[in-house]
């Protein structure tokens, strides 16, 4: 089993910055994609940013130009630097990791989430 632990959430004013991190631990065969999702009250969980093991990144439209995802494969940690934050970025942010195990298949892991609140 793989455990994901997020940290770095909190309260920030509009226009401010916040950095999130997520560390994986446990019986890890090999983490492929690492992703950040978020879920605001009353909304569905949405993919914010993703990064492959080789470092290729993707962002949703809301995050492009403001958020940066990165990872440290040696530490099995993914980061999300969020700049120019807006009140609509307020949500619980979840770390997600995908592991492909030969002969077993795809495993999907989730962190418990960290609250990000942006005040206007």
């Amino acid at each position: 089993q793989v455990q994901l632990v997020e940290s770095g959430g909190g309260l920030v004013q509009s226009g401010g910055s916040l950095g999130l991190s997520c560390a994986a631990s446990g019986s890890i065969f090999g983490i492929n994609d690492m992703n950040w999702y978020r879920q605001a009250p009353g909304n569905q969980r949405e993919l914010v940013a993703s990064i492959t093991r080789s470092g290729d990144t993707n962002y949703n439209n809301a995050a492009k130009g403001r958020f940066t995802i990165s990872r440290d494969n040696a530490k099995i940690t993914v980061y999300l630097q969020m700049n120019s934050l807006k009140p609509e970025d307020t949500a619980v942010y979840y770390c997600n990791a995908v592991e492909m195990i030969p002969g077993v298949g795809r495993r999907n892991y989730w962190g418990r989430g960290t609250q990000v609140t942006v005040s206007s």
Side-chain angles (χ1 to χ4, degrees), residues 16-85:
S17 299
L18 210 55
L20 307 181
S21 63
C22 170
S25 62
S27 301
I28 298 171
F29 177 82
I31 299 295
N32 294 84
D33 294 353
M34 298 189 81
N35 309 296
W36 285 100
Y37 285 76
R38 69 185 182 186
Q39 187 168 18
N43 290 359
Q44 290 188 331
R45 192 172 295 189
E46 63 173 349
L47 177 63
V48 176
S50 61
I51 185 167
T52 66
R53 180 184 277 189
S54 59
D56 294 328
T57 59
N58 258 305
Y59 300 90
N60 73 3
N61 287 335
K64 280 179 186 175
R66 299 188 299 127
F67 295 3
T68 302
I69 189 171
S70 60
R71 67 189 282 173
D72 183 331
N73 288 332
K75 295 181 180 179
I76 320 176
T77 299
V78 63
Y79 306 93
L80 186 68
Q81 178 62 39
M82 302 182 292
N83 298 327
S84 302
L85 283 161

